[in-house]
Amino acid sequence: MRGADLLVNEVIGVPAGIGATARRSRSEAYDAWLARLLPARPGVALVAVGGLGRRQCAPYGDLDLVLVHAGVPGIDEMAAALWYPIWDAGLRLDHSVRTVAEALSVAQDDVKVALGLLDARLVAGDAELADTLVRSATDHWRRTAVRQLGPLRESTGARWQAHGELAFLLEGDVKEAAGGLRDVGILRAIATAGITDALRPAVHAAHLRLLDTRDALHQQVGRRVDRLLAQERDGVAALLGLRQAPPGRAEAVPSGTPQPRPESAPPLSDGDGDALLRRVAGDARTVSHALDDAFRAADRLRSGRRRGADGRPVRRPVARDVVEHDGELVLARTAIGARPDASLSLRVAAAAAATGLPIARATCEWLAAYCPPLPTPWPAEARAALTTLLGAGAGLIPAWETCDRYGLIDGWLPEWTRLRSLPQHNPVHRFTLDRHLVQTAFEASRHTRDVDRPDLLLLAAFLHDIGKGLPGDHSKVGAPIAEAIAARIGLPAAEAEQIATLVRLHLVLPEVATRRDLADPVTIGRVAEAVGDVTTLDLLYALVRADAAATGPAAWSDWKGRLVAELVTRVRTTLDTGDVPAPPAPDPALVAGPLPVVHLTGDRVAVAAADRRGLLATVAGCLALHRLEVLAADASTVDGRALVECRVQPRYGLPPDPVALSADLRRAVGGDVSVTQRLRGRALAARGAGAQPRVVWHRDAATDAVLLELRAADAAGLLYRVTSALDAAGAQVRAARIATLGGDVVDAFYLVGAWPSDPERARLEAAVLGAV
């Protein structure tokens, strides 16, 4: 707890602060305090591993200690006398008691222990015994590293899968994510084994900056935390003195022998946490690429080079001017000797993505230095290579990231400099903008067989959010930018215009599906008019699914998928026949039999009662009472019966008891006052907070109704309060659509009638806002 940590600083004298000097000072303070706890005794040594062993103590880090002994009696009592004061001081402790032989035996079976012992350092006690452990552990690792790196790579891959890639996450774990501090430890171990020079100066600099970021994060939050949450970024950036890069500033591509781009921090000026996120992304990329190179070097050492009959390493052609050599892609000798064509770097990238093989570092450096710029428009070969690259599936992301590291992407798309590591300030998104665009292209490759023009789908997926980071609606702002890029790539004018259309409309299907009445002919007709033809509709449908998959789990649901699919089906029918499909008929079970009728099936709640006003509000309130969130609601009157159908999902936890829900619904629609009082008290006590709510009117968005759109903070019971207010004000709600965007909602209410009077609309608006 924070109070205990502050007490530790006061009692032990552990200094706060950020930077290498502060970390070393903390280590020295811990060393001095721990030395006083260990009585002098031959054959016993207190050894630090982890952050204390490396003298890189975080403000609120753990202590990793090993009590090494030579079989002396009473070691358990001595250990207890050492550990308990540490716990009493409020410190987190990872401890063990072992002989040198026991420590080495554990390291033999556990690669994590083996890596930890590489950081071992004497804190107090028998220096000779500690030196024996350190030397033995290092010698053991050097002998067994090649064998142990296989299991280490598997466990590292599992960790990456669990925590993601730090370079592209909006809220990444600076320790556990790929490219984080734990990966630097692996690089240090590989360098210790002499497999490759893994700790290059650029990696060392990135490591120090990541340590500073972790220290500032601890200091900002006041406890140990390694995940850089969005709400902490500005404070951490302020502690680090970071400043935001000027908008649109381009980074120069180095001349001569190229150096990978992320190995130096970009120039900065005043700003906020976005600068921090971009710096962390660059440092994580540096670490990730160094570790990829190191693992490949270890693989080659373990498996040996494949050699031909002449004893030379095997070279296998994989594409024009590209060959596989030692598990990597390199340029053919003829390509190096000749004048390179402008499409060469794209063709190498496409070959890497298609084969899943990495591009050799020397090849990337050569391409960055000597490949000429692409002309405008691009030649057909370059355009085909880009399509192959974007459609390669799983191979796209590593190939793209490698090319980006060496500055090749900026040569293809100058706009990429603005997009690189750009944060997306939306809780639904999990990736930075650059990775989101590449990820969307990857996801779109799953749908290429569903459309007539897979090449246009891939390019539109890659460019769909190109307008983000610029003022205005990113769909509208991005459309002309995407069209210009498509023309520069060499697409005909009509196809470049279609790319612009896809970018401009890429949000239409999900927004209309979740916010509008799909049974209303006006809704379907307007979407059909905007889309224009079935080919564009199919491309948009594939793009929507790819975009949602690339955004994150919160961007899609089975309910949303069904609504979008229903909208696409109805719009396709309209485009094919010119006629808007008839609305679905009411459920026969609701229009026959004794009243009231209550049906609960999956995510659907259907109620029929004697025709009366306020039924929708009553049903909505009862659902809120049972912690159900209404996603869509339809109200109608058929043969004197009031019908309400809702699509629902649990607000949190498990679904409610259907028997209890059904009983409450029956009593509530029958006018039971006790149920009404319960739901009123519960709903009115759960009002939302945040920015001021807004009401927006759409007079021509429906056939027989006016659309009132409420934009407000989400809260339990909101639909009940608003529909009750509308009912009290004399408005009849025919349908409602509820769209939740993070902590906000956009609720659309179809009000029967024209509502042409300004005073009447103002009165209704005031009633709605008063209910929020």
Side-chain angles (χ1 to χ4, degrees):
M1 293 183 297
R2 185 169 186 175
D5 288 327
L6 291 174
L7 180 63
V8 168
N9 288 340
E10 295 170 2
V11 174
I12 302 175
V14 178
I18 300 166
T21 300
R23 289 188 287 272
R24 181 170 289 273
S25 296
R26 280 191 290 271
S27 301
E28 291 171 352
Y30 280 126
D31 284 358
W33 181 66
L34 292 169
R36 293 195 296 270
L37 298 178
L38 184 71
R41 186 170 180 181
V44 178
L46 182 61
V47 172
V49 295
L52 182 57
R54 296 187 297 272
R55 292 188 174 90
Q56 295 171 347
C57 288
Y60 297 102
D62 295 350
L63 290 183
D64 298 316
L65 300 173
V66 181
L67 188 61
V68 186
H69 65 98
V72 299
I75 190 65
D76 290 340
E77 291 77 7
M78 184 181 297
L82 176 62
W83 306 145
Y84 276 101
I86 298 174
W87 287 324
D88 291 342
L91 291 169
R92 300 177 185 89
L93 174 64
D94 188 357
H95 62 90
S96 61
V97 181
R98 292 179 178 131
T99 64
V100 171
E102 288 170 345
L104 295 177
S105 176
V106 175
Q108 177 78 21
D109 300 326
D110 191 334
V111 67
K112 292 182 180 179
V113 174
L115 263 60
L117 289 177
L118 298 179
D119 298 325
R121 179 179 63 82
L122 175 68
V123 172
D126 192 327
E128 184 176 349
L129 182 64
D131 184 62
T132 299
L133 174 64
V134 172
R135 285 188 291 101
S136 300
T138 302
D139 291 343
H140 173 266
W141 172 252
R142 286 172 176 162
R143 291 194 309 272
T144 63
V146 173
R147 175 176 57 81
Q148 295 204 69
L149 281 178
L152 176 61
R153 189 169 190 174
E154 291 181 5
S155 64
T156 301
R159 172 168 54 82
W160 291 347
Q161 186 70 28
H163 293 279
E165 298 171 81
L166 181 58
F168 306 112
L169 292 173
L170 295 171
E171 295 187 330
D173 189 311
V174 297
K175 182 178 181 181
E176 301 292 347
L181 293 170
R182 195 172 291 282
D183 284 352
V184 179
I186 299 175
L187 284 170
R188 189 166 48 251
I190 292 174
T192 300
I195 294 174
T196 184
D197 180 20
L199 292 176
R200 297 189 293 270
V203 176
H204 179 68
H207 181 213
L208 291 179
R209 288 191 292 266
L210 289 173
L211 286 172
D212 290 348
T213 299
R214 180 205 59 186
D215 291 356
L217 180 58
H218 282 203
Q219 191 163 314
Q220 167 71 15
V221 179
R223 58 184 174 84
R224 177 186 171 180
V225 59
D226 296 322
R227 188 180 176 196
L228 186 57
L229 297 177
Q231 63 263 29
E232 310 297 350
R233 281 203 298 260
D234 288 353
V236 172
L239 289 172
L240 294 172
L242 289 180
R243 301 179 300 274
Q244 178 66 40
R249 177 163 182 166
E251 301 173 52
V253 177
S255 59
T257 302
Q259 296 297 321
R261 179 175 307 281
E263 297 192 344
S264 60
L268 302 170
S269 61
D270 286 341
D272 54 22
D274 287 3
L276 170 64
L277 195 64
R278 285 187 142 167
R279 193 181 83 167
V280 168
D283 292 336
R285 280 173 157 160
T286 297
V287 173
S288 289
H289 280 280
L291 188 53
D292 286 342
D293 291 342
F295 273 141
R296 286 202 300 272
D299 288 343
R300 288 194 296 270
L301 190 61
R302 184 170 59 248
S303 61
R305 292 185 172 185
R306 292 190 301 126
R307 297 184 179 273
D310 58 358
R312 295 181 178 181
V314 173
R315 293 169 63 91
R316 179 177 66 91
V318 297
R320 186 166 73 87
D321 297 327
V322 186
V323 299
E324 177 191 354
H325 175 77
D326 232 6
E328 297 179 325
L329 294 187
V330 300
L331 293 174
R333 296 185 181 94
T334 53
I336 297 175
R339 176 182 175 86
D341 68 81
S343 66
L344 180 59
S345 61
L346 268 165
R347 291 191 286 109
V348 172
T355 61
L357 294 172
I359 308 172
R361 178 181 176 184
T363 298
C364 292
E365 293 175 346
W366 191 94
L367 290 170
Y370 301 112
C371 194
L374 286 159
T376 301
W378 288 11
E381 193 170 26
R383 190 164 59 253
L386 178 63
T387 301
T388 300
L389 174 61
L390 295 178
L396 163 64
I397 294 170
W400 188 275
E401 175 61 13
T402 297
C403 293
D404 193 21
R405 173 171 167 76
Y406 290 92
L408 301 180
I409 306 295
D410 291 6
W412 309 338
L413 299 167
E415 296 84 358
W416 196 249
T417 300
R418 178 179 62 82
L419 306 174
R420 184 181 290 107
S421 302
L422 186 67
Q424 301 195 77
H425 299 286
N426 187 309
V428 174
H429 278 276
R430 57 179 171 170
F431 292 133
T432 53
L433 179 57
D434 54 341
R435 174 57 184 273
H436 174 68
L437 294 176
V438 179
Q439 188 75 26
T440 305
F442 161 69
E443 298 292 348
S445 67
R446 305 175 189 271
H447 303 288
T448 52
R449 296 184 181 182
D450 301 335
V451 297
D452 293 337
R453 291 295 305 271
D455 55 333
L456 297 185
L457 170 62
L458 294 170
L459 186 58
F462 175 64
L463 298 176
H464 74 285
D465 277 349
I466 195 78
K468 282 189 174 178
L470 300 173
D473 182 334
H474 77 275
S475 299
K476 296 178 180 178
V477 172
I481 299 174
E483 184 174 7
I485 292 173
R488 188 169 72 233
I489 287 173
L491 291 184
E495 295 179 4
E497 184 178 353
Q498 187 163 24
I499 292 292
T501 299
L502 294 173
V503 171
R504 187 175 62 255
L505 299 180
H506 77 271
L507 295 178
V508 165
L509 294 182
E511 287 185 350
V512 170
T514 56
R515 300 184 190 179
R516 297 294 182 263
D517 181 8
L518 303 188
D520 195 307
V522 171
T523 300
I524 305 304
R526 289 196 170 173
V527 174
E529 181 181 2
V531 171
D533 57 75
V534 173
T535 297
T536 302
L537 177 66
D538 289 339
L539 287 169
L540 280 173
Y541 186 32
L543 175 55
V544 164
R545 288 175 287 170
D547 186 16
T551 297
W556 199 252
S557 64
D558 291 341
W559 167 79
K560 189 173 184 178
R562 290 196 300 270
L563 286 182
V564 173
E566 179 185 347
L567 174 61
V568 169
T569 298
R570 295 174 70 81
V571 171
R572 179 179 285 110
T573 299
T574 300
L575 292 171
D576 284 340
T577 66
D579 297 325
V580 177
D587 185 348
L590 298 179
V591 296
L595 297 175
V597 178
V598 175
H599 283 174
L600 308 178
T601 54
D603 64 350
R604 177 175 174 267
V605 174
V607 175
D611 189 12
R612 66 179 180 84
R613 291 179 54 180
L615 181 62
L616 175 58
T618 300
V619 172
C622 198
L623 295 175
L625 186 65
H626 286 264
R627 300 185 181 91
L628 284 173
E629 187 176 58
V630 179
L631 303 173
D634 289 289
S636 60
T637 301
V638 177
D639 297 332
R641 292 178 173 231
L643 312 180
V644 172
E645 295 187 59
C646 299
R647 293 289 178 179
V648 299
Q649 66 182 12
R651 180 166 282 271
Y652 51 82
L654 298 175
D657 178 10
V659 175
L661 174 59
S662 178
D664 273 353
L665 282 169
R666 290 179 183 277
R667 290 199 299 270
V669 301
D672 189 321
V673 178
S674 63
V675 179
T676 305
Q677 289 175 339
R678 284 170 56 209
L679 63 89
R680 281 179 181 171
R682 178 74 62 86
L684 291 175
R687 294 177 180 265
Q692 289 295 319
R694 290 182 57 211
V695 166
V696 179
W697 292 88
H698 303 274
R699 298 192 189 184
D700 54 354
T703 305
D704 59 349
V706 171
L707 190 65
L708 182 153
E709 195 172 77
L710 171 65
R711 302 172 185 179
D714 189 18
L718 179 63
L719 179 61
Y720 165 67
R721 296 198 304 273
V722 173
T723 50
S724 295
L726 289 171
D727 180 62
Q732 180 183 351
V733 179
R734 174 173 65 76
R737 295 292 180 271
I738 287 76
T740 303
L741 308 171
D744 292 337
V745 293
V746 179
D747 291 354
F749 299 93
Y750 285 79
L751 308 182
V752 175
W755 292 89
S757 167
D758 290 339
E760 284 296 294
R761 286 199 307 274
R763 180 178 63 83
L764 207 59
E765 182 174 332
V768 169
L769 294 177
V772 175

